[in-house]
């Protein structure tokens, strides 16, 4: 009976490594695609969103958190919110 590891003119034991090599090629290709094309970034460069702040919080989120924690009252919240709306163009009011 002949086996894959037969040295008498057969493929030899190295034939068992062919599926491992193809698996490594497929995993490498998928990893490369995930890091570049599918996520829109480049290898070695961190992805950043254009509106992302260095601290990670938007001014509206900070304002909302301060109001929720009781640091500022409702009048102060609405006053600061209107300033942010004018400055950043958020809100429905047209000027």
């Amino acid at each position: 009976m002949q086996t894959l590891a037969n040295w008498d003119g057969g493929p030899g034991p190295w034939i068992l490594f062919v599926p491992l090599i193809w698996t490594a090629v497929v995993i490498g290709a998928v990893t490369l695609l995930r890091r570049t094309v599918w996520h829109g970034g480049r290898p070695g460069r961190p992805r950043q969103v254009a509106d992302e702040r260095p601290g990670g919080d938007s001014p509206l989120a900070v304002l909302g958190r301060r109001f929720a924690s009781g640091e500022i009252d409702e009048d102060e919240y609405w006053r600061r919110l209107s300033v942010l709306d004018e400055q950043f163009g958020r809100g429905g009011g047209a000027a």
Side-chain angles (χ1 to χ4, degrees):
M1 179 193 297
Q2 291 185 346
T3 63
L4 288 176
N6 186 3
W7 286 93
D8 297 331
W14 62 269
I15 194 71
L16 299 174
F17 290 108
V18 172
L20 295 175
I21 292 171
W22 278 110
T23 303
V25 168
V26 169
I27 290 173
V30 169
T31 301
L32 182 67
L33 287 173
R34 286 186 69 202
R35 294 191 67 176
T36 59
V37 177
W38 293 338
H39 287 288
R42 294 188 183 121
R45 188 182 115 199
R47 293 181 299 266
Q48 292 181 345
V49 178
D51 293 319
E52 187 175 313
R53 304 259 180 227
D57 289 336
S58 70
L60 293 175
V62 173
L63 182 62
R65 190 168 39 253
R66 289 187 65 198
F67 177 64
S69 67
E71 290 180 38
I72 58 175
D73 62 357
E74 186 177 357
D75 292 332
E76 181 74 13
Y77 171 79
W78 287 113
R79 189 163 24 110
R80 291 183 182 211
L81 183 62
S82 67
V83 170
L84 289 174
D85 285 343
E86 289 174 10
Q87 183 176 2
F88 295 109
R90 295 181 56 105

Coordinates of all heavy atoms in Angstrom, one line a residue:
M1 N 0.8 -1.2 0.0 CA 0.0 0.0 0.0 C 0.9 1.2 0.0 O 1.8 1.3 0.8 CB -0.9 0.0 1.2 CG -1.7 1.2 1.3 SD -2.6 1.6 2.8 CE -3.7 0.4 3.1
Q2 N 0.6 2.2 -0.9 CA 1.4 3.4 -1.0 C 0.7 4.5 -0.2 O -0.5 4.6 -0.1 CB 1.5 3.9 -2.4 CG 2.4 2.9 -3.2 CD 2.6 3.4 -4.6 OE1 1.9 4.4 -5.0 NE2 3.6 2.9 -5.3
T3 N 1.5 5.4 0.5 CA 1.0 6.5 1.2 C 1.6 7.8 0.7 O 2.4 7.8 -0.2 CB 1.4 6.3 2.7 OG1 2.8 6.4 2.8 CG2 0.8 5.1 3.3
L4 N 1.1 8.9 1.2 CA 1.6 10.2 0.8 C 3.1 10.4 1.2 O 3.8 11.1 0.5 CB 0.8 11.3 1.4 CG -0.6 11.5 0.9 CD1 -1.3 12.6 1.7 CD2 -0.6 11.9 -0.6
A5 N 3.6 9.7 2.2 CA 4.9 9.9 2.7 C 5.9 8.9 2.0 O 7.0 8.6 2.4 CB 5.0 9.7 4.2
N6 N 5.4 8.2 0.9 CA 6.3 7.2 0.3 C 7.4 7.9 -0.5 O 7.1 8.8 -1.4 CB 5.4 6.4 -0.7 CG 6.1 5.3 -1.3 OD1 7.3 5.0 -1.0 ND2 5.4 4.6 -2.2
W7 N 8.6 7.5 -0.3 CA 9.8 8.1 -0.9 C 10.1 7.4 -2.2 O 11.0 7.9 -3.0 CB 11.0 8.1 0.0 CG 10.9 9.1 1.1 CD1 10.4 8.9 2.3 CD2 11.3 10.4 1.0 NE1 10.5 10.0 3.1 CE2 11.0 11.0 2.3 CE3 11.9 11.2 0.1 CZ2 11.3 12.3 2.6 CZ3 12.1 12.6 0.4 CH2 11.9 13.1 1.6
D8 N 9.4 6.4 -2.6 CA 9.7 5.7 -3.8 C 9.0 6.3 -5.0 O 8.1 5.7 -5.6 CB 9.3 4.2 -3.7 CG 10.1 3.5 -2.6 OD1 11.2 3.9 -2.3 OD2 9.5 2.6 -1.9
G9 N 9.4 7.5 -5.4 CA 8.8 8.2 -6.5 C 7.5 8.9 -6.2 O 6.9 9.6 -7.1
G10 N 7.1 8.8 -5.0 CA 5.9 9.6 -4.6 C 6.2 11.0 -4.2 O 7.3 11.5 -4.3
P11 N 5.2 11.7 -3.8 CA 5.4 13.2 -3.6 C 6.2 13.4 -2.3 O 6.8 14.5 -2.2 CB 4.0 13.7 -3.4 CG 3.1 12.5 -3.0 CD 3.8 11.3 -3.6
G12 N 6.3 12.5 -1.4 CA 7.1 12.7 -0.2 C 6.3 13.5 0.9 O 5.2 13.9 0.7
P13 N 6.9 13.6 2.1 CA 6.2 14.2 3.2 C 6.0 15.7 3.0 O 5.1 16.3 3.7 CB 7.1 13.9 4.4 CG 8.5 13.7 3.8 CD 8.3 13.1 2.4
W14 N 6.7 16.4 2.1 CA 6.5 17.8 2.0 C 5.1 18.2 1.4 O 4.7 19.3 1.6 CB 7.6 18.4 1.1 CG 7.6 17.8 -0.3 CD1 8.3 16.8 -0.7 CD2 6.8 18.3 -1.4 NE1 8.0 16.5 -2.1 CE2 7.1 17.5 -2.5 CE3 5.9 19.3 -1.6 CZ2 6.5 17.6 -3.7 CZ3 5.3 19.5 -2.8 CH2 5.6 18.7 -3.9
I15 N 4.4 17.2 0.8 CA 3.1 17.5 0.3 C 2.1 17.9 1.3 O 1.1 18.5 1.1 CB 2.6 16.2 -0.5 CG1 1.4 16.6 -1.4 CG2 2.2 15.1 0.4 CD1 1.7 17.5 -2.6
L16 N 2.4 17.5 2.6 CA 1.5 17.8 3.7 C 1.6 19.3 4.0 O 0.7 19.8 4.7 CB 1.9 16.9 4.9 CG 1.7 15.4 4.7 CD1 2.2 14.7 6.0 CD2 0.3 15.1 4.4
F17 N 2.7 20.0 3.6 CA 2.8 21.4 3.9 C 2.1 22.3 2.9 O 1.9 23.5 3.2 CB 4.3 21.8 3.9 CG 5.0 21.2 5.1 CD1 5.9 20.2 5.0 CD2 4.8 21.7 6.4 CE1 6.6 19.7 6.1 CE2 5.4 21.2 7.5 CZ 6.3 20.2 7.3
V18 N 1.6 21.8 1.8 CA 1.0 22.6 0.8 C -0.3 23.2 1.3 O -0.6 24.4 1.2 CB 0.7 21.8 -0.5 CG1 -0.2 22.5 -1.5 CG2 2.0 21.4 -1.2
P19 N -1.2 22.5 2.0 CA -2.4 23.1 2.6 C -2.1 24.2 3.6 O -2.7 25.2 3.7 CB -3.2 21.9 3.2 CG -2.7 20.7 2.6 CD -1.2 21.0 2.2
L20 N -1.0 23.9 4.4 CA -0.6 24.9 5.4 C -0.1 26.2 4.7 O -0.4 27.3 5.2 CB 0.5 24.4 6.3 CG 0.1 23.2 7.2 CD1 1.3 22.7 7.9 CD2 -1.0 23.6 8.2
I21 N 0.6 26.1 3.6 CA 1.1 27.3 2.9 C -0.1 28.1 2.3 O -0.1 29.3 2.4 CB 2.1 26.9 1.8 CG1 3.4 26.3 2.4 CG2 2.4 28.0 0.9 CD1 4.3 25.7 1.5
W22 N -1.1 27.4 1.7 CA -2.2 28.1 1.2 C -3.1 28.7 2.3 O -3.6 29.8 2.1 CB -3.1 27.1 0.4 CG -2.5 27.0 -1.0 CD1 -2.0 25.9 -1.6 CD2 -2.5 28.0 -2.0 NE1 -1.6 26.1 -2.8 CE2 -1.9 27.4 -3.2 CE3 -2.9 29.3 -2.1 CZ2 -1.7 28.1 -4.4 CZ3 -2.7 30.0 -3.3 CH2 -2.1 29.4 -4.4
T23 N -3.1 28.1 3.4 CA -3.9 28.7 4.6 C -3.2 30.0 5.0 O -3.8 31.0 5.2 CB -3.9 27.7 5.7 OG1 -4.6 26.5 5.3 CG2 -4.7 28.3 6.9
A24 N -1.9 29.9 5.1 CA -1.1 31.1 5.5 C -1.3 32.3 4.4 O -1.4 33.4 4.8 CB 0.4 30.8 5.6
V25 N -1.3 31.9 3.1 CA -1.5 32.9 2.1 C -2.9 33.5 2.2 O -3.1 34.8 2.1 CB -1.3 32.3 0.7 CG1 -1.8 33.2 -0.4 CG2 0.2 31.9 0.5
V26 N -3.9 32.7 2.4 CA -5.3 33.3 2.5 C -5.4 34.1 3.8 O -6.0 35.2 3.7 CB -6.3 32.1 2.5 CG1 -7.7 32.6 2.9 CG2 -6.3 31.4 1.2
I27 N -4.9 33.7 4.9 CA -5.0 34.5 6.1 C -4.2 35.8 6.0 O -4.7 36.9 6.4 CB -4.5 33.7 7.3 CG1 -5.4 32.6 7.7 CG2 -4.2 34.6 8.5 CD1 -4.9 31.6 8.7
G28 N -3.1 35.8 5.3 CA -2.3 37.0 5.1 C -3.1 38.0 4.2 O -3.1 39.2 4.4
A29 N -3.7 37.5 3.1 CA -4.5 38.3 2.2 C -5.7 38.9 2.9 O -5.9 40.1 2.8 CB -4.9 37.5 1.0
V30 N -6.4 38.2 3.7 CA -7.5 38.7 4.5 C -7.1 39.8 5.5 O -7.7 40.8 5.6 CB -8.3 37.6 5.1 CG1 -9.3 38.1 6.1 CG2 -9.0 36.7 4.1
T31 N -6.0 39.5 6.1 CA -5.5 40.5 7.1 C -5.1 41.8 6.4 O -5.4 42.9 6.9 CB -4.3 39.9 7.9 OG1 -4.7 38.7 8.5 CG2 -3.7 40.9 8.9
L32 N -4.4 41.7 5.3 CA -4.0 42.8 4.5 C -5.2 43.6 4.1 O -5.3 44.9 4.2 CB -3.1 42.4 3.4 CG -2.6 43.6 2.5 CD1 -1.6 44.4 3.3 CD2 -1.9 43.0 1.3
L33 N -6.2 43.0 3.6 CA -7.4 43.6 3.1 C -8.2 44.3 4.3 O -8.7 45.4 4.1 CB -8.4 42.7 2.4 CG -7.9 42.2 1.0 CD1 -8.8 41.1 0.4 CD2 -7.9 43.4 0.0
R34 N -8.2 43.6 5.4 CA -8.9 44.2 6.5 C -8.2 45.5 7.0 O -8.9 46.4 7.4 CB -9.0 43.2 7.7 CG -10.0 42.1 7.5 CD -10.1 41.3 8.7 NE -10.8 42.0 9.7 CZ -10.7 41.8 11.0 NH1 -10.0 40.7 11.4 NH2 -11.3 42.5 11.9
R35 N -6.9 45.5 7.0 CA -6.2 46.7 7.5 C -6.1 47.8 6.5 O -5.9 49.0 6.8 CB -4.7 46.3 7.8 CG -4.7 45.3 9.0 CD -3.3 45.2 9.4 NE -2.9 46.4 10.0 CZ -1.7 46.6 10.6 NH1 -0.9 45.7 10.7 NH2 -1.4 47.8 11.1
T36 N -6.4 47.6 5.2 CA -6.3 48.6 4.2 C -7.6 49.0 3.5 O -8.2 49.9 3.9 CB -5.3 48.3 3.1 OG1 -5.6 47.1 2.5 CG2 -3.9 48.1 3.7
V37 N -8.1 48.1 2.6 CA -9.2 48.4 1.8 C -10.5 48.5 2.6 O -11.3 49.4 2.5 CB -9.3 47.4 0.7 CG1 -10.5 47.7 -0.2 CG2 -8.1 47.5 -0.2
W38 N -10.8 47.5 3.4 CA -12.1 47.4 4.0 C -12.3 48.4 5.1 O -13.4 48.8 5.4 CB -12.3 46.0 4.6 CG -12.4 44.9 3.5 CD1 -12.8 45.1 2.2 CD2 -12.2 43.5 3.7 NE1 -12.7 43.9 1.6 CE2 -12.4 42.9 2.4 CE3 -11.8 42.7 4.7 CZ2 -12.3 41.6 2.2 CZ3 -11.7 41.4 4.5 CH2 -11.9 40.8 3.3
H39 N -11.2 48.9 5.7 CA -11.4 49.9 6.8 C -10.9 51.3 6.3 O -10.9 52.2 7.1 CB -10.6 49.5 8.0 CG -11.2 48.4 8.8 ND1 -12.4 48.6 9.5 CD2 -10.9 47.1 8.9 CE1 -12.7 47.4 10.1 NE2 -11.8 46.5 9.7
G40 N -10.5 51.4 5.1 CA -10.1 52.7 4.5 C -8.8 53.3 5.1 O -8.6 54.5 5.0
G41 N -8.0 52.5 5.7 CA -6.8 53.1 6.3 C -5.6 52.5 5.6 O -5.7 51.8 4.6
R42 N -4.4 52.9 6.0 CA -3.2 52.4 5.5 C -2.4 51.7 6.6 O -2.5 52.1 7.7 CB -2.3 53.6 5.0 CG -2.9 54.3 3.8 CD -2.0 55.3 3.2 NE -2.6 56.0 2.1 CZ -2.8 57.3 2.1 NH1 -2.4 58.1 3.1 NH2 -3.4 57.9 1.1
P43 N -1.7 50.6 6.2 CA -0.9 49.9 7.3 C 0.0 50.9 8.0 O 0.7 51.7 7.3 CB -0.2 48.8 6.5 CG -0.9 48.7 5.2 CD -1.5 50.1 4.9
G44 N 0.1 50.8 9.3 CA 1.0 51.6 10.0 C 0.5 52.9 10.4 O 1.1 53.7 11.1
R45 N -0.6 53.3 9.8 CA -1.2 54.7 10.1 C -2.5 54.5 10.8 O -3.4 53.8 10.4 CB -1.4 55.4 8.8 CG -1.8 56.9 9.0 CD -2.1 57.5 7.7 NE -3.5 57.9 7.8 CZ -4.3 58.2 6.7 NH1 -3.8 58.1 5.5 NH2 -5.5 58.5 6.9
P46 N -2.6 55.1 12.0 CA -3.9 55.0 12.7 C -5.0 55.7 12.0 O -4.9 56.7 11.4 CB -3.6 55.6 14.1 CG -2.5 56.5 13.8 CD -1.7 55.9 12.7
R47 N -6.2 55.0 12.1 CA -7.4 55.6 11.4 C -8.0 56.7 12.3 O -8.1 56.5 13.5 CB -8.4 54.5 11.2 CG -8.0 53.5 10.2 CD -9.1 52.5 9.9 NE -9.4 51.8 11.1 CZ -8.9 50.6 11.4 NH1 -8.0 50.1 10.7 NH2 -9.2 50.0 12.5
Q48 N -8.3 57.8 11.8 CA -8.9 58.9 12.5 C -10.2 59.4 11.8 O -10.2 59.5 10.6 CB -8.0 60.1 12.7 CG -6.8 59.8 13.6 CD -5.9 61.0 13.7 OE1 -5.9 61.9 13.0 NE2 -5.0 60.9 14.7
V49 N -11.2 59.8 12.6 CA -12.4 60.4 12.0 C -12.1 61.9 12.0 O -11.5 62.4 12.9 CB -13.6 60.0 12.9 CG1 -14.8 60.7 12.4 CG2 -13.7 58.5 13.0
A50 N -12.6 62.5 10.9 CA -12.4 64.0 10.8 C -12.9 64.8 11.9 O -12.3 65.8 12.3 CB -13.0 64.4 9.4
D51 N -14.1 64.4 12.5 CA -14.7 65.2 13.5 C -14.2 64.8 14.9 O -14.7 65.3 15.9 CB -16.2 65.2 13.5 CG -16.7 65.8 12.2 OD1 -16.2 66.9 11.8 OD2 -17.6 65.3 11.6
E52 N -13.3 63.9 15.0 CA -12.9 63.4 16.3 C -12.0 64.4 17.0 O -11.1 64.9 16.5 CB -12.1 62.0 16.1 CG -11.8 61.3 17.4 CD -11.2 60.0 17.1 OE1 -11.7 59.3 16.3 OE2 -10.2 59.7 17.8
R53 N -12.3 64.6 18.3 CA -11.5 65.5 19.1 C -10.3 64.8 19.7 O -10.4 63.6 20.0 CB -12.3 66.2 20.2 CG -13.6 66.8 19.6 CD -13.4 68.3 19.6 NE -14.5 68.9 19.1 CZ -14.5 69.9 18.2 NH1 -13.4 70.3 17.7 NH2 -15.6 70.4 17.7
P54 N -9.2 65.5 20.0 CA -8.1 64.8 20.7 C -8.5 64.2 22.0 O -8.0 63.1 22.4 CB -7.1 65.9 20.9 CG -7.4 66.9 19.9 CD -8.9 66.8 19.7
G55 N -9.4 64.8 22.8 CA -9.8 64.3 24.0 C -10.9 63.2 23.9 O -11.2 62.5 24.8
G56 N -11.5 63.1 22.7 CA -12.5 62.1 22.4 C -13.9 62.5 22.7 O -14.8 61.8 22.3
D57 N -14.1 63.7 23.3 CA -15.5 64.2 23.6 C -15.8 65.4 22.8 O -15.0 66.3 22.6 CB -15.7 64.5 25.0 CG -15.7 63.2 25.9 OD1 -16.0 62.2 25.4 OD2 -15.4 63.3 27.1
S58 N -17.0 65.5 22.2 CA -17.4 66.7 21.5 C -17.9 67.7 22.6 O -18.2 67.4 23.7 CB -18.6 66.4 20.6 OG -19.7 66.1 21.3
P59 N -17.9 69.0 22.2 CA -18.4 70.0 23.1 C -19.8 69.8 23.6 O -20.1 70.0 24.8 CB -18.2 71.3 22.3 CG -17.2 71.0 21.3 CD -17.4 69.6 21.0
L60 N -20.6 69.3 22.7 CA -22.0 69.0 23.1 C -22.1 67.9 24.1 O -22.9 67.9 25.0 CB -22.9 68.6 21.9 CG -23.1 69.8 20.9 CD1 -23.8 69.3 19.6 CD2 -23.8 70.9 21.5
A61 N -21.2 66.9 24.0 CA -21.2 65.7 24.9 C -20.8 66.2 26.3 O -21.3 65.8 27.3 CB -20.4 64.6 24.4
V62 N -19.7 67.1 26.3 CA -19.3 67.6 27.6 C -20.3 68.5 28.2 O -20.6 68.4 29.5 CB -18.0 68.4 27.4 CG1 -17.5 69.1 28.6 CG2 -16.9 67.5 26.9
L63 N -21.0 69.3 27.4 CA -22.1 70.1 28.0 C -23.2 69.3 28.5 O -23.7 69.6 29.7 CB -22.6 71.1 26.9 CG -23.7 72.1 27.3 CD1 -23.2 73.0 28.4 CD2 -24.2 72.8 26.1
G64 N -23.6 68.3 27.8 CA -24.7 67.4 28.3 C -24.3 66.7 29.6 O -25.1 66.5 30.5
R65 N -23.0 66.2 29.6 CA -22.6 65.5 30.9 C -22.5 66.5 32.1 O -22.9 66.1 33.2 CB -21.2 64.9 30.6 CG -20.8 64.0 31.7 CD -19.5 63.1 31.4 NE -18.5 63.8 30.6 CZ -18.2 63.5 29.3 NH1 -18.9 62.7 28.7 NH2 -17.3 64.2 28.7
R66 N -22.1 67.7 31.8 CA -22.1 68.7 32.9 C -23.5 69.0 33.4 O -23.7 69.1 34.6 CB -21.3 69.9 32.5 CG -19.8 69.7 32.3 CD -19.1 71.0 32.0 NE -19.2 71.9 33.2 CZ -19.0 73.2 33.1 NH1 -18.7 73.8 32.0 NH2 -19.1 73.9 34.2
F67 N -24.4 69.1 32.5 CA -25.8 69.4 32.9 C -26.4 68.2 33.6 O -27.0 68.3 34.7 CB -26.6 69.7 31.7 CG -28.1 69.9 31.9 CD1 -28.5 71.0 32.7 CD2 -29.0 69.0 31.4 CE1 -29.9 71.2 33.0 CE2 -30.4 69.2 31.7 CZ -30.8 70.3 32.5
A68 N -26.1 67.0 33.2 CA -26.6 65.8 33.8 C -26.1 65.6 35.2 O -26.7 65.1 36.1 CB -26.3 64.5 33.0
S69 N -24.8 66.0 35.4 CA -24.2 65.8 36.7 C -24.5 66.9 37.7 O -24.2 66.8 38.9 CB -22.7 65.7 36.6 OG -22.1 66.9 36.2
G70 N -25.2 68.0 37.2 CA -25.6 69.1 38.1 C -24.6 70.2 38.2 O -24.8 71.1 39.1
E71 N -23.5 70.2 37.4 CA -22.5 71.2 37.5 C -23.1 72.6 37.0 O -22.7 73.6 37.5 CB -21.3 70.9 36.7 CG -20.5 69.8 37.2 CD -19.3 69.5 36.3 OE1 -18.7 70.4 35.8 OE2 -19.0 68.3 36.1
I72 N -24.0 72.5 36.0 CA -24.6 73.7 35.5 C -26.1 73.6 35.6 O -26.7 72.4 35.5 CB -24.2 74.1 34.1 CG1 -24.5 72.9 33.1 CG2 -22.7 74.4 34.1 CD1 -24.1 73.2 31.7
D73 N -26.9 74.7 35.7 CA -28.3 74.6 35.7 C -28.9 74.7 34.3 O -28.1 74.8 33.3 CB -28.9 75.7 36.6 CG -28.6 77.1 36.1 OD1 -27.8 77.2 35.1 OD2 -29.0 78.1 36.7
E74 N -30.2 74.6 34.2 CA -30.9 74.5 32.9 C -30.7 75.8 32.1 O -30.4 75.7 30.9 CB -32.4 74.3 33.1 CG -33.1 74.0 31.8 CD -34.6 73.7 32.0 OE1 -35.0 73.6 33.1 OE2 -35.2 73.6 31.0
D75 N -30.7 77.0 32.7 CA -30.5 78.2 32.0 C -29.1 78.3 31.4 O -28.9 78.7 30.2 CB -30.7 79.4 32.9 CG -32.2 79.6 33.3 OD1 -33.1 79.1 32.6 OD2 -32.4 80.1 34.4
E76 N -28.1 77.9 32.2 CA -26.7 77.9 31.7 C -26.6 76.9 30.6 O -25.9 77.2 29.6 CB -25.8 77.5 32.9 CG -24.3 77.5 32.5 CD -23.7 78.9 32.3 OE1 -24.4 79.9 32.7 OE2 -22.6 79.0 31.7
Y77 N -27.2 75.7 30.7 CA -27.2 74.7 29.6 C -27.7 75.3 28.3 O -27.0 75.2 27.3 CB -28.0 73.5 30.0 CG -28.1 72.5 28.9 CD1 -27.1 71.6 28.6 CD2 -29.3 72.4 28.2 CE1 -27.2 70.7 27.6 CE2 -29.4 71.4 27.2 CZ -28.4 70.6 26.9 OH -28.5 69.7 25.9
W78 N -28.9 75.9 28.3 CA -29.5 76.4 27.1 C -28.7 77.6 26.5 O -28.5 77.7 25.3 CB -30.9 76.8 27.3 CG -31.8 75.6 27.5 CD1 -32.5 75.3 28.6 CD2 -32.1 74.6 26.5 NE1 -33.2 74.1 28.4 CE2 -33.0 73.7 27.1 CE3 -31.8 74.4 25.2 CZ2 -33.5 72.6 26.4 CZ3 -32.3 73.4 24.5 CH2 -33.1 72.4 25.1
R79 N -28.1 78.4 27.4 CA -27.3 79.5 26.9 C -26.0 79.0 26.2 O -25.7 79.4 25.1 CB -26.9 80.4 28.1 CG -26.3 81.7 27.7 CD -26.3 82.7 28.8 NE -26.4 82.2 30.1 CZ -25.4 82.2 31.0 NH1 -24.3 82.7 30.8 NH2 -25.6 81.7 32.2
R80 N -25.4 78.1 26.8 CA -24.2 77.5 26.2 C -24.5 76.7 24.9 O -23.7 76.7 24.0 CB -23.4 76.6 27.2 CG -22.8 77.5 28.3 CD -22.0 76.6 29.2 NE -21.4 77.5 30.3 CZ -20.3 77.2 30.9 NH1 -19.6 76.2 30.6 NH2 -19.9 78.0 31.9
L81 N -25.6 76.0 25.0 CA -26.0 75.3 23.8 C -26.3 76.2 22.6 O -25.9 75.9 21.5 CB -27.3 74.4 24.1 CG -27.8 73.5 23.0 CD1 -26.7 72.5 22.6 CD2 -29.1 72.8 23.4
S82 N -26.9 77.3 22.8 CA -27.2 78.3 21.7 C -25.9 78.8 21.2 O -25.7 79.0 20.0 CB -28.1 79.4 22.2 OG -27.5 80.2 23.1
V83 N -24.9 79.1 22.0 CA -23.6 79.5 21.6 C -22.9 78.5 20.7 O -22.4 78.8 19.6 CB -22.7 79.9 22.8 CG1 -21.2 80.2 22.3 CG2 -23.2 81.1 23.5
L84 N -23.0 77.2 21.1 CA -22.4 76.1 20.3 C -23.1 76.0 19.0 O -22.5 75.7 18.0 CB -22.4 74.8 21.1 CG -21.5 74.7 22.3 CD1 -21.7 73.4 23.1 CD2 -20.0 74.8 21.8
D85 N -24.4 76.1 19.0 CA -25.2 76.0 17.8 C -24.8 77.1 16.8 O -24.7 76.9 15.6 CB -26.7 76.1 18.0 CG -27.3 74.9 18.6 OD1 -26.6 73.8 18.5 OD2 -28.4 74.9 19.2
E86 N -24.6 78.3 17.3 CA -24.1 79.4 16.4 C -22.7 79.2 15.9 O -22.4 79.4 14.7 CB -24.2 80.8 17.2 CG -25.6 81.3 17.5 CD -25.6 82.5 18.4 OE1 -24.5 83.1 18.6 OE2 -26.7 82.9 18.8
Q87 N -21.9 78.7 16.8 CA -20.5 78.5 16.4 C -20.2 77.4 15.4 O -19.5 77.5 14.5 CB -19.6 78.3 17.6 CG -18.1 78.2 17.4 CD -17.3 78.1 18.6 OE1 -17.9 78.0 19.7 NE2 -16.0 78.0 18.5
F88 N -20.9 76.3 15.6 CA -20.7 75.1 14.8 C -21.7 74.8 13.8 O -21.7 73.9 13.0 CB -20.5 73.8 15.7 CG -19.3 73.9 16.6 CD1 -19.4 74.1 18.0 CD2 -18.0 73.8 16.1 CE1 -18.3 74.1 18.8 CE2 -16.9 73.8 16.9 CZ -17.1 74.0 18.2
G89 N -22.8 75.7 13.7 CA -23.8 75.5 12.7 C -24.7 74.4 12.9 O -25.4 73.9 12.0
R90 N -24.8 73.9 14.2 CA -25.8 72.9 14.5 C -27.1 73.5 14.8 O -27.2 74.6 15.3 CB -25.3 72.0 15.6 CG -24.0 71.2 15.2 CD -23.5 70.4 16.3 NE -24.6 69.5 16.8 CZ -24.6 68.2 16.5 NH1 -23.6 67.7 15.8 NH2 -25.6 67.4 16.9
G91 N -28.2 72.8 14.6 CA -29.5 73.3 15.0 C -30.3 73.6 13.8 O -29.8 73.7 12.7
G92 N -31.5 73.9 14.0 CA -32.4 74.2 12.8 C -32.6 75.6 12.5 O -33.2 75.9 11.5
G93 N -32.1 76.6 13.2 CA -32.3 78.0 13.0 C -31.5 78.5 11.8 O -30.3 78.3 11.7
A94 N -32.2 79.2 10.8 CA -31.4 79.7 9.7 C -31.3 81.2 9.9 O -32.2 81.9 10.3 CB -32.2 79.5 8.4
A95 N -30.1 81.7 9.6 CA -29.8 83.2 9.8 C -29.7 83.9 8.5 O -29.3 83.4 7.5 CB -28.5 83.3 10.6

